[in-house]
Amino acid sequence: MAYEEPVTDYDKIVENCTCAFCGSNCDDLDYLVKDNRVVAVRHACRLGASKIMEDEDQRLIVPMIRDETGELVETDWDTALDKAAELIANAVRPLFYGWSETSIECMKKGLKLTEYVGAVIDNQATICHGPTVQAVQNVGYPLMTLGEVKNRADMVVYSGSNPMNAHPRHLSRYTMFPRGWFRPRGRYDRTLVTWDPKFSDTAKMSDIWVPFEENGDYEFVNAIRAVLKGKELKKDVIAGIPKEDIIELTEAMKNVEFGALFFGLGLTHTLSKQRNIDIAIQLVQDLNAYTKWVLLPMRGHFNVNGFNIFLSYEMGFPYGVDFCRGYPRYMIGETTTIDLLNRREPDVFMVIAADPGAHFPGGALAHLTNIPVIQIDIHWGPSTELADVVLPGTFIGVETAGTSYRMDSVPIHMKKAIDPPETCREDEWIVNELYERVKKIKEASK
Amino acid sequence: MKTITLTPKKFSSIALEFDELIPDKVYDWNKEDFEKYEVPIGNSRFPLTDYFDIEIEGSAEGPEEVKMILDGDMGRVKYIGCKMSAGDILVNGDADLQVGAEMTGGSIKVNGNAESYAGREMKGGSLEIMGNVREYCGTSYIGEWRGMSDGIIKVHGNAGKQLADCMSGGEIYVDGGCDILAGIHMTKGYIEIGGDVTRWPAGQMKNGTVVIKGKLGRLLEGFEVEGIYKNPEIHGKQLTGKYIKYKGDIGVNGKGSLWLNAEKNRDLL
Ligand code: SF4
């Protein structure tokens, strides 16, 4: 990494901004602003800083509609909004997906629109921590705040997750390196454990690495639980781990003062899906007979947890909620985005603050090419290539203030630091405007 | 006796929902009632006659005198027989999601495959599927800790993942093979699998019985051998051959029993 001169040429510093990238929601960032642009970011990791600063790259600036030749052409807000509203008003199975990179305030408007037209509302949890949410509903949620981990934890386990790459400041800000009230020496007072088939960057810096075999998660945790209950293990190697190592690890986990288990998609999306989390939660419950243990999913986007909290609070269900019959329904495999797309049900797809074009499986994307897609976003991306109507929003946490929830469910106010481009509109405004226009069309046709 | 025959004539890729077309609700409907009826599709309702030819024969005093024949592919018709308490439904083709979900009585027979959630939270009656079922057959509603509580499900083909999770009663028979975690979290009831099982049957089971007549891919550490029995009588049924009996899942202090065919699972002896 080449040395970069510190930035000294700026007009003002906006302090205590919140990073709008990963679920760590670091809220200690300082933006150096010059001519209404963020020229440097202090305290953020490279992921966060580059998202905040290089945002102007490929920025969607003006509304666009795809014409008969298949090209996206620029248009005015009225035309674009009317077109989108007309598509939504006439749809039989509309699906509104995304929401994890926008504010709770915008989600609120989105839910109103969803309920009004009888659509399905879903967020990225459907392809990431959905299984976690299901397991939590089954067996409970022994969670904590990251502050507690910082001050108390002397053992931290990362399972199926690689925070060194995906949540770079997680270890330095919350779990491993900071000095806490009961951990005055920081890293030296803590043991870092990684359960991961891969020798990831987090595994490389861990004190203990447990490389259980791929898809062996459930069996591995089941064995630890059996050891906790006093069973003598029968097989010599369980899920790729020698039984002596499992016994040793179980002893170590029993004998800490405060343990925290963090897990990522490596646990939620292997063979037994939600049951991996289910059994991990039960393991944490078992360990609490000996000492304090807690658990937390490593949520990806800065507000993916916020959507689940918001929707559970409003509707009783965390994601994939279907209003087509007028009341909320939630059924994994039936009202969730990928399944609906694979079944080729939706006839209009609205994506807001998400990039299905980059993340969805081929079969689901194939259906998106057949139906009208409305995109509300700040960046040009693979989803723009699929979109028929593009509505450029604003950047939450930089250009627009809003509320988000950190991975440990702590709500955080995200500041506005600069003004958005003149031709863009706030996400919240766009969604509300769609609602008003759809309402007008529906009422006119009554 | 009243026979209602619905023959599909148009396909909709957006699923139709049939929860209102169960014997309990339609036993006194005549042809005009069916012709007036609009079936839920997405956020709208469309005339049932757009999608089906309808024929009615005979009359019925109650739902138990109704036989509904869904004569063709119902691969995009959800909630067939959902919450029904009496009568018969025959599906001459595949059935979509939630066939027989929450049924309390009567019988459903599917002459084809069934999608996921067949017999979810079933409380009584019988559901027979001649082909395969997908995931979550006879399971609970997401987050609910009680699944199927009574009734019988018979699957002549294979069953998918997490068959009968949180089962708290009733019986399930699968003639073919079964994927991971059959009977996970079960507290009561009986599951019999005729074919091979991939992995981890009965994880976190507290009580109840799982019998596997085929080969098991992988067993969990949470199960401990209790003994080997010849021609055991399980759940009032006489099985032939040698069976290994396990108790578990230890992780949850479970007292459930898992029976494995000893001949097919010699590696575990
Ligand atoms: S760790 Fe995450 S929230 Fe913190 S600065 Fe990096 S990307 Fe942003």
Side-chain angles (χ1 to χ4, degrees), chain A residues 377-409:
Chain A
D377 211 333
I378 55 174
H379 279 122
W380 195 292
S383 301
T384 316
E385 302 298 333
L386 296 167
D388 299 284
V389 182
V390 178
L391 305 166
T394 57
F395 195 164
I396 308 288
V398 180
E399 298 165 356
T400 307
T403 311
S404 65
Y405 282 80
R406 202 165 68 184
M407 61 167 73
D408 56 348
S409 306

PDB file of all heavy atoms in Angstrom, chain A residues 377-409:
ATOM      1  N   ASP A 377     -31.941   3.913  -6.553  1.00  0.00           N
ATOM      2  CA  ASP A 377     -30.586   3.669  -6.065  1.00  0.00           C
ATOM      3  C   ASP A 377     -29.719   4.878  -6.331  1.00  0.00           C
ATOM      4  O   ASP A 377     -30.135   5.804  -7.028  1.00  0.00           O
ATOM      5  CB  ASP A 377     -29.995   2.421  -6.737  1.00  0.00           C
ATOM      6  CG  ASP A 377     -29.023   1.701  -5.797  1.00  0.00           C
ATOM      7  OD1 ASP A 377     -28.437   2.380  -4.934  1.00  0.00           O
ATOM      8  OD2 ASP A 377     -28.859   0.481  -5.922  1.00  0.00           O
ATOM      9  N   ILE A 378     -28.500   4.838  -5.794  1.00  0.00           N
ATOM     10  CA  ILE A 378     -27.602   5.958  -6.040  1.00  0.00           C
ATOM     11  C   ILE A 378     -26.510   5.607  -7.049  1.00  0.00           C
ATOM     12  O   ILE A 378     -25.850   6.478  -7.562  1.00  0.00           O
ATOM     13  CB  ILE A 378     -26.990   6.485  -4.722  1.00  0.00           C
ATOM     14  CG1 ILE A 378     -26.293   5.374  -3.940  1.00  0.00           C
ATOM     15  CG2 ILE A 378     -28.065   7.115  -3.862  1.00  0.00           C
ATOM     16  CD1 ILE A 378     -25.557   5.876  -2.711  1.00  0.00           C
ATOM     17  N   HIS A 379     -26.325   4.295  -7.289  1.00  0.00           N
ATOM     18  CA  HIS A 379     -25.236   3.883  -8.166  1.00  0.00           C
ATOM     19  C   HIS A 379     -25.709   3.121  -9.388  1.00  0.00           C
ATOM     20  O   HIS A 379     -26.660   2.354  -9.318  1.00  0.00           O
ATOM     21  CB  HIS A 379     -24.279   2.937  -7.412  1.00  0.00           C
ATOM     22  CG  HIS A 379     -23.324   3.663  -6.565  1.00  0.00           C
ATOM     23  ND1 HIS A 379     -23.215   3.459  -5.227  1.00  0.00           N
ATOM     24  CD2 HIS A 379     -22.416   4.610  -6.878  1.00  0.00           C
ATOM     25  CE1 HIS A 379     -22.298   4.252  -4.732  1.00  0.00           C
ATOM     26  NE2 HIS A 379     -21.794   4.951  -5.719  1.00  0.00           N
ATOM     27  N   TRP A 380     -24.976   3.286 -10.450  1.00  0.00           N
ATOM     28  CA  TRP A 380     -25.155   2.433 -11.608  1.00  0.00           C
ATOM     29  C   TRP A 380     -24.580   1.068 -11.243  1.00  0.00           C
ATOM     30  O   TRP A 380     -23.485   0.968 -10.721  1.00  0.00           O
ATOM     31  CB  TRP A 380     -24.392   3.023 -12.800  1.00  0.00           C
ATOM     32  CG  TRP A 380     -24.792   2.427 -14.099  1.00  0.00           C
ATOM     33  CD1 TRP A 380     -24.556   1.161 -14.505  1.00  0.00           C
ATOM     34  CD2 TRP A 380     -25.528   3.062 -15.135  1.00  0.00           C
ATOM     35  NE1 TRP A 380     -25.107   0.958 -15.739  1.00  0.00           N
ATOM     36  CE2 TRP A 380     -25.707   2.099 -16.165  1.00  0.00           C
ATOM     37  CE3 TRP A 380     -26.061   4.340 -15.320  1.00  0.00           C
ATOM     38  CZ2 TRP A 380     -26.392   2.391 -17.349  1.00  0.00           C
ATOM     39  CZ3 TRP A 380     -26.729   4.616 -16.494  1.00  0.00           C
ATOM     40  CH2 TRP A 380     -26.897   3.643 -17.491  1.00  0.00           C
ATOM     41  N   GLY A 381     -25.340  -0.008 -11.466  1.00  0.00           N
ATOM     42  CA  GLY A 381     -24.804  -1.337 -11.164  1.00  0.00           C
ATOM     43  C   GLY A 381     -25.489  -2.347 -12.050  1.00  0.00           C
ATOM     44  O   GLY A 381     -26.297  -1.977 -12.909  1.00  0.00           O
ATOM     45  N   PRO A 382     -25.204  -3.622 -11.855  1.00  0.00           N
ATOM     46  CA  PRO A 382     -25.843  -4.650 -12.682  1.00  0.00           C
ATOM     47  C   PRO A 382     -27.373  -4.536 -12.685  1.00  0.00           C
ATOM     48  O   PRO A 382     -28.009  -4.824 -13.697  1.00  0.00           O
ATOM     49  CB  PRO A 382     -25.398  -5.954 -12.017  1.00  0.00           C
ATOM     50  CG  PRO A 382     -24.099  -5.621 -11.388  1.00  0.00           C
ATOM     51  CD  PRO A 382     -24.209  -4.199 -10.950  1.00  0.00           C
ATOM     52  N   SER A 383     -27.961  -4.084 -11.570  1.00  0.00           N
ATOM     53  CA  SER A 383     -29.422  -3.974 -11.531  1.00  0.00           C
ATOM     54  C   SER A 383     -29.928  -2.880 -12.455  1.00  0.00           C
ATOM     55  O   SER A 383     -31.049  -2.943 -12.942  1.00  0.00           O
ATOM     56  CB  SER A 383     -29.908  -3.689 -10.121  1.00  0.00           C
ATOM     57  OG  SER A 383     -29.489  -4.716  -9.275  1.00  0.00           O
ATOM     58  N   THR A 384     -29.092  -1.863 -12.680  1.00  0.00           N
ATOM     59  CA  THR A 384     -29.501  -0.793 -13.598  1.00  0.00           C
ATOM     60  C   THR A 384     -29.682  -1.355 -15.006  1.00  0.00           C
ATOM     61  O   THR A 384     -30.550  -0.931 -15.752  1.00  0.00           O
ATOM     62  CB  THR A 384     -28.447   0.332 -13.599  1.00  0.00           C
ATOM     63  OG1 THR A 384     -28.069   0.584 -12.257  1.00  0.00           O
ATOM     64  CG2 THR A 384     -28.991   1.595 -14.228  1.00  0.00           C
ATOM     65  N   GLU A 385     -28.840  -2.334 -15.333  1.00  0.00           N
ATOM     66  CA  GLU A 385     -28.937  -2.949 -16.658  1.00  0.00           C
ATOM     67  C   GLU A 385     -30.271  -3.672 -16.826  1.00  0.00           C
ATOM     68  O   GLU A 385     -30.750  -3.874 -17.933  1.00  0.00           O
ATOM     69  CB  GLU A 385     -27.784  -3.936 -16.887  1.00  0.00           C
ATOM     70  CG  GLU A 385     -26.392  -3.328 -16.773  1.00  0.00           C
ATOM     71  CD  GLU A 385     -26.144  -2.240 -17.809  1.00  0.00           C
ATOM     72  OE1 GLU A 385     -26.777  -2.302 -18.878  1.00  0.00           O
ATOM     73  OE2 GLU A 385     -25.340  -1.329 -17.526  1.00  0.00           O
ATOM     74  N   LEU A 386     -30.854  -4.100 -15.704  1.00  0.00           N
ATOM     75  CA  LEU A 386     -32.136  -4.808 -15.771  1.00  0.00           C
ATOM     76  C   LEU A 386     -33.318  -3.856 -15.662  1.00  0.00           C
ATOM     77  O   LEU A 386     -34.458  -4.223 -15.945  1.00  0.00           O
ATOM     78  CB  LEU A 386     -32.241  -5.810 -14.608  1.00  0.00           C
ATOM     79  CG  LEU A 386     -31.263  -6.966 -14.561  1.00  0.00           C
ATOM     80  CD1 LEU A 386     -31.312  -7.632 -13.197  1.00  0.00           C
ATOM     81  CD2 LEU A 386     -31.591  -7.975 -15.643  1.00  0.00           C
ATOM     82  N   ALA A 387     -33.037  -2.627 -15.218  1.00  0.00           N
ATOM     83  CA  ALA A 387     -34.135  -1.723 -14.850  1.00  0.00           C
ATOM     84  C   ALA A 387     -34.810  -1.091 -16.060  1.00  0.00           C
ATOM     85  O   ALA A 387     -34.180  -0.837 -17.081  1.00  0.00           O
ATOM     86  CB  ALA A 387     -33.609  -0.649 -13.928  1.00  0.00           C
ATOM     87  N   ASP A 388     -36.113  -0.848 -15.921  1.00  0.00           N
ATOM     88  CA  ASP A 388     -36.872  -0.149 -16.952  1.00  0.00           C
ATOM     89  C   ASP A 388     -37.146   1.288 -16.545  1.00  0.00           C
ATOM     90  O   ASP A 388     -37.349   2.150 -17.380  1.00  0.00           O
ATOM     91  CB  ASP A 388     -38.188  -0.883 -17.196  1.00  0.00           C
ATOM     92  CG  ASP A 388     -37.935  -2.294 -17.670  1.00  0.00           C
ATOM     93  OD1 ASP A 388     -37.576  -2.453 -18.836  1.00  0.00           O
ATOM     94  OD2 ASP A 388     -38.019  -3.232 -16.847  1.00  0.00           O
ATOM     95  N   VAL A 389     -37.200   1.505 -15.243  1.00  0.00           N
ATOM     96  CA  VAL A 389     -37.334   2.871 -14.731  1.00  0.00           C
ATOM     97  C   VAL A 389     -36.275   3.042 -13.645  1.00  0.00           C
ATOM     98  O   VAL A 389     -36.160   2.213 -12.751  1.00  0.00           O
ATOM     99  CB  VAL A 389     -38.736   3.111 -14.114  1.00  0.00           C
ATOM    100  CG1 VAL A 389     -38.850   4.549 -13.637  1.00  0.00           C
ATOM    101  CG2 VAL A 389     -39.833   2.773 -15.097  1.00  0.00           C
ATOM    102  N   VAL A 390     -35.481   4.102 -13.752  1.00  0.00           N
ATOM    103  CA  VAL A 390     -34.429   4.337 -12.768  1.00  0.00           C
ATOM    104  C   VAL A 390     -34.705   5.659 -12.054  1.00  0.00           C
ATOM    105  O   VAL A 390     -34.884   6.689 -12.695  1.00  0.00           O
ATOM    106  CB  VAL A 390     -33.037   4.395 -13.444  1.00  0.00           C
ATOM    107  CG1 VAL A 390     -31.958   4.690 -12.412  1.00  0.00           C
ATOM    108  CG2 VAL A 390     -32.743   3.086 -14.163  1.00  0.00           C
ATOM    109  N   LEU A 391     -34.783   5.600 -10.720  1.00  0.00           N
ATOM    110  CA  LEU A 391     -35.064   6.790  -9.935  1.00  0.00           C
ATOM    111  C   LEU A 391     -33.885   7.031  -8.991  1.00  0.00           C
ATOM    112  O   LEU A 391     -33.669   6.270  -8.051  1.00  0.00           O
ATOM    113  CB  LEU A 391     -36.357   6.588  -9.125  1.00  0.00           C
ATOM    114  CG  LEU A 391     -37.595   6.187  -9.949  1.00  0.00           C
ATOM    115  CD1 LEU A 391     -38.714   5.695  -9.061  1.00  0.00           C
ATOM    116  CD2 LEU A 391     -38.078   7.351 -10.800  1.00  0.00           C
ATOM    117  N   PRO A 392     -33.090   8.087  -9.247  1.00  0.00           N
ATOM    118  CA  PRO A 392     -31.868   8.278  -8.447  1.00  0.00           C
ATOM    119  C   PRO A 392     -32.149   8.835  -7.053  1.00  0.00           C
ATOM    120  O   PRO A 392     -32.763   9.893  -6.911  1.00  0.00           O
ATOM    121  CB  PRO A 392     -31.061   9.272  -9.279  1.00  0.00           C
ATOM    122  CG  PRO A 392     -32.057   9.983 -10.115  1.00  0.00           C
ATOM    123  CD  PRO A 392     -33.216   9.077 -10.332  1.00  0.00           C
ATOM    124  N   GLY A 393     -31.717   8.131  -6.041  1.00  0.00           N
ATOM    125  CA  GLY A 393     -31.940   8.544  -4.652  1.00  0.00           C
ATOM    126  C   GLY A 393     -30.751   9.294  -4.094  1.00  0.00           C
ATOM    127  O   GLY A 393     -29.860   9.715  -4.836  1.00  0.00           O
ATOM    128  N   THR A 394     -30.744   9.457  -2.784  1.00  0.00           N
ATOM    129  CA  THR A 394     -29.616  10.144  -2.144  1.00  0.00           C
ATOM    130  C   THR A 394     -28.929   9.206  -1.152  1.00  0.00           C
ATOM    131  O   THR A 394     -29.483   8.186  -0.764  1.00  0.00           O
ATOM    132  CB  THR A 394     -30.080  11.409  -1.392  1.00  0.00           C
ATOM    133  OG1 THR A 394     -31.067  11.028  -0.435  1.00  0.00           O
ATOM    134  CG2 THR A 394     -30.645  12.435  -2.344  1.00  0.00           C
ATOM    135  N   PHE A 395     -27.722   9.598  -0.747  1.00  0.00           N
ATOM    136  CA  PHE A 395     -26.850   8.752   0.043  1.00  0.00           C
ATOM    137  C   PHE A 395     -27.142   8.977   1.533  1.00  0.00           C
ATOM    138  O   PHE A 395     -26.831  10.032   2.080  1.00  0.00           O
ATOM    139  CB  PHE A 395     -25.408   9.136  -0.301  1.00  0.00           C
ATOM    140  CG  PHE A 395     -24.369   8.163   0.134  1.00  0.00           C
ATOM    141  CD1 PHE A 395     -23.086   8.232  -0.402  1.00  0.00           C
ATOM    142  CD2 PHE A 395     -24.638   7.179   1.073  1.00  0.00           C
ATOM    143  CE1 PHE A 395     -22.099   7.350  -0.018  1.00  0.00           C
ATOM    144  CE2 PHE A 395     -23.664   6.284   1.473  1.00  0.00           C
ATOM    145  CZ  PHE A 395     -22.393   6.382   0.928  1.00  0.00           C
ATOM    146  N   ILE A 396     -27.743   7.966   2.163  1.00  0.00           N
ATOM    147  CA  ILE A 396     -28.045   8.083   3.592  1.00  0.00           C
ATOM    148  C   ILE A 396     -26.733   8.125   4.381  1.00  0.00           C
ATOM    149  O   ILE A 396     -25.824   7.351   4.125  1.00  0.00           O
ATOM    150  CB  ILE A 396     -28.873   6.870   4.086  1.00  0.00           C
ATOM    151  CG1 ILE A 396     -30.102   6.634   3.234  1.00  0.00           C
ATOM    152  CG2 ILE A 396     -29.229   7.013   5.571  1.00  0.00           C
ATOM    153  CD1 ILE A 396     -31.200   7.619   3.391  1.00  0.00           C
ATOM    154  N   GLY A 397     -26.659   9.013   5.328  1.00  0.00           N
ATOM    155  CA  GLY A 397     -25.462   9.095   6.171  1.00  0.00           C
ATOM    156  C   GLY A 397     -24.427  10.042   5.607  1.00  0.00           C
ATOM    157  O   GLY A 397     -23.426  10.324   6.256  1.00  0.00           O
ATOM    158  N   VAL A 398     -24.620  10.510   4.382  1.00  0.00           N
ATOM    159  CA  VAL A 398     -23.713  11.486   3.798  1.00  0.00           C
ATOM    160  C   VAL A 398     -24.536  12.686   3.309  1.00  0.00           C
ATOM    161  O   VAL A 398     -24.309  13.823   3.713  1.00  0.00           O
ATOM    162  CB  VAL A 398     -22.908  10.882   2.628  1.00  0.00           C
ATOM    163  CG1 VAL A 398     -21.966  11.930   2.037  1.00  0.00           C
ATOM    164  CG2 VAL A 398     -22.108   9.674   3.100  1.00  0.00           C
ATOM    165  N   GLU A 399     -25.533  12.388   2.478  1.00  0.00           N
ATOM    166  CA  GLU A 399     -26.330  13.478   1.904  1.00  0.00           C
ATOM    167  C   GLU A 399     -27.686  13.638   2.583  1.00  0.00           C
ATOM    168  O   GLU A 399     -28.346  14.647   2.424  1.00  0.00           O
ATOM    169  CB  GLU A 399     -26.573  13.206   0.416  1.00  0.00           C
ATOM    170  CG  GLU A 399     -25.297  13.141  -0.385  1.00  0.00           C
ATOM    171  CD  GLU A 399     -25.502  12.526  -1.756  1.00  0.00           C
ATOM    172  OE1 GLU A 399     -26.620  12.071  -2.061  1.00  0.00           O
ATOM    173  OE2 GLU A 399     -24.540  12.497  -2.529  1.00  0.00           O
ATOM    174  N   THR A 400     -28.134  12.592   3.256  1.00  0.00           N
ATOM    175  CA  THR A 400     -29.433  12.629   3.923  1.00  0.00           C
ATOM    176  C   THR A 400     -29.289  11.995   5.299  1.00  0.00           C
ATOM    177  O   THR A 400     -28.611  10.985   5.439  1.00  0.00           O
ATOM    178  CB  THR A 400     -30.464  11.801   3.120  1.00  0.00           C
ATOM    179  OG1 THR A 400     -30.457  12.259   1.774  1.00  0.00           O
ATOM    180  CG2 THR A 400     -31.863  11.949   3.694  1.00  0.00           C
ATOM    181  N   ALA A 401     -29.950  12.583   6.273  1.00  0.00           N
ATOM    182  CA  ALA A 401     -29.917  11.993   7.617  1.00  0.00           C
ATOM    183  C   ALA A 401     -30.938  10.861   7.679  1.00  0.00           C
ATOM    184  O   ALA A 401     -31.872  10.812   6.881  1.00  0.00           O
ATOM    185  CB  ALA A 401     -30.247  13.058   8.648  1.00  0.00           C
ATOM    186  N   GLY A 402     -30.740   9.950   8.614  1.00  0.00           N
ATOM    187  CA  GLY A 402     -31.703   8.853   8.751  1.00  0.00           C
ATOM    188  C   GLY A 402     -31.346   7.961   9.919  1.00  0.00           C
ATOM    189  O   GLY A 402     -30.292   8.119  10.542  1.00  0.00           O
ATOM    190  N   THR A 403     -32.226   7.007  10.201  1.00  0.00           N
ATOM    191  CA  THR A 403     -31.988   6.090  11.316  1.00  0.00           C
ATOM    192  C   THR A 403     -31.581   4.732  10.783  1.00  0.00           C
ATOM    193  O   THR A 403     -32.135   4.256   9.798  1.00  0.00           O
ATOM    194  CB  THR A 403     -33.272   5.917  12.149  1.00  0.00           C
ATOM    195  OG1 THR A 403     -33.788   7.193  12.432  1.00  0.00           O
ATOM    196  CG2 THR A 403     -33.003   5.159  13.440  1.00  0.00           C
ATOM    197  N   SER A 404     -30.612   4.110  11.451  1.00  0.00           N
ATOM    198  CA  SER A 404     -30.247   2.738  11.093  1.00  0.00           C
ATOM    199  C   SER A 404     -30.059   1.944  12.384  1.00  0.00           C
ATOM    200  O   SER A 404     -29.970   2.524  13.461  1.00  0.00           O
ATOM    201  CB  SER A 404     -28.948   2.729  10.289  1.00  0.00           C
ATOM    202  OG  SER A 404     -27.892   3.183  11.103  1.00  0.00           O
ATOM    203  N   TYR A 405     -30.043   0.629  12.260  1.00  0.00           N
ATOM    204  CA  TYR A 405     -29.791  -0.220  13.418  1.00  0.00           C
ATOM    205  C   TYR A 405     -28.500  -0.994  13.209  1.00  0.00           C
ATOM    206  O   TYR A 405     -28.354  -1.667  12.186  1.00  0.00           O
ATOM    207  CB  TYR A 405     -30.941  -1.209  13.623  1.00  0.00           C
ATOM    208  CG  TYR A 405     -32.163  -0.593  14.265  1.00  0.00           C
ATOM    209  CD1 TYR A 405     -33.053   0.152  13.521  1.00  0.00           C
ATOM    210  CD2 TYR A 405     -32.402  -0.764  15.624  1.00  0.00           C
ATOM    211  CE1 TYR A 405     -34.171   0.731  14.104  1.00  0.00           C
ATOM    212  CE2 TYR A 405     -33.517  -0.196  16.217  1.00  0.00           C
ATOM    213  CZ  TYR A 405     -34.402   0.547  15.451  1.00  0.00           C
ATOM    214  OH  TYR A 405     -35.494   1.103  16.033  1.00  0.00           O
ATOM    215  N   ARG A 406     -27.612  -0.895  14.188  1.00  0.00           N
ATOM    216  CA  ARG A 406     -26.355  -1.637  14.129  1.00  0.00           C
ATOM    217  C   ARG A 406     -26.650  -3.126  14.267  1.00  0.00           C
ATOM    218  O   ARG A 406     -27.748  -3.517  14.649  1.00  0.00           O
ATOM    219  CB  ARG A 406     -25.473  -1.163  15.291  1.00  0.00           C
ATOM    220  CG  ARG A 406     -24.004  -1.399  15.112  1.00  0.00           C
ATOM    221  CD  ARG A 406     -23.221  -0.575  16.120  1.00  0.00           C
ATOM    222  NE  ARG A 406     -23.434  -1.044  17.488  1.00  0.00           N
ATOM    223  CZ  ARG A 406     -22.919  -0.445  18.559  1.00  0.00           C
ATOM    224  NH1 ARG A 406     -22.188   0.640  18.428  1.00  0.00           N
ATOM    225  NH2 ARG A 406     -23.140  -0.910  19.777  1.00  0.00           N
ATOM    226  N   MET A 407     -25.672  -3.986  13.995  1.00  0.00           N
ATOM    227  CA  MET A 407     -25.916  -5.441  14.050  1.00  0.00           C
ATOM    228  C   MET A 407     -26.418  -5.909  15.414  1.00  0.00           C
ATOM    229  O   MET A 407     -27.127  -6.891  15.517  1.00  0.00           O
ATOM    230  CB  MET A 407     -24.682  -6.226  13.627  1.00  0.00           C
ATOM    231  CG  MET A 407     -23.469  -5.995  14.482  1.00  0.00           C
ATOM    232  SD  MET A 407     -22.212  -7.212  14.138  1.00  0.00           S
ATOM    233  CE  MET A 407     -21.609  -6.713  12.555  1.00  0.00           C
ATOM    234  N   ASP A 408     -26.053  -5.176  16.488  1.00  0.00           N
ATOM    235  CA  ASP A 408     -26.529  -5.579  17.808  1.00  0.00           C
ATOM    236  C   ASP A 408     -27.830  -4.863  18.181  1.00  0.00           C
ATOM    237  O   ASP A 408     -28.172  -4.765  19.353  1.00  0.00           O
ATOM    238  CB  ASP A 408     -25.448  -5.340  18.860  1.00  0.00           C
ATOM    239  CG  ASP A 408     -24.973  -3.897  18.873  1.00  0.00           C
ATOM    240  OD1 ASP A 408     -25.316  -3.158  17.940  1.00  0.00           O
ATOM    241  OD2 ASP A 408     -24.262  -3.505  19.807  1.00  0.00           O
ATOM    242  N   SER A 409     -28.516  -4.342  17.167  1.00  0.00           N
ATOM    243  CA  SER A 409     -29.836  -3.737  17.334  1.00  0.00           C
ATOM    244  C   SER A 409     -29.827  -2.416  18.087  1.00  0.00           C
ATOM    245  O   SER A 409     -30.840  -2.025  18.655  1.00  0.00           O
ATOM    246  CB  SER A 409     -30.816  -4.705  18.014  1.00  0.00           C
ATOM    247  OG  SER A 409     -30.840  -5.911  17.302  1.00  0.00           O
TER     248      SER A 409
END
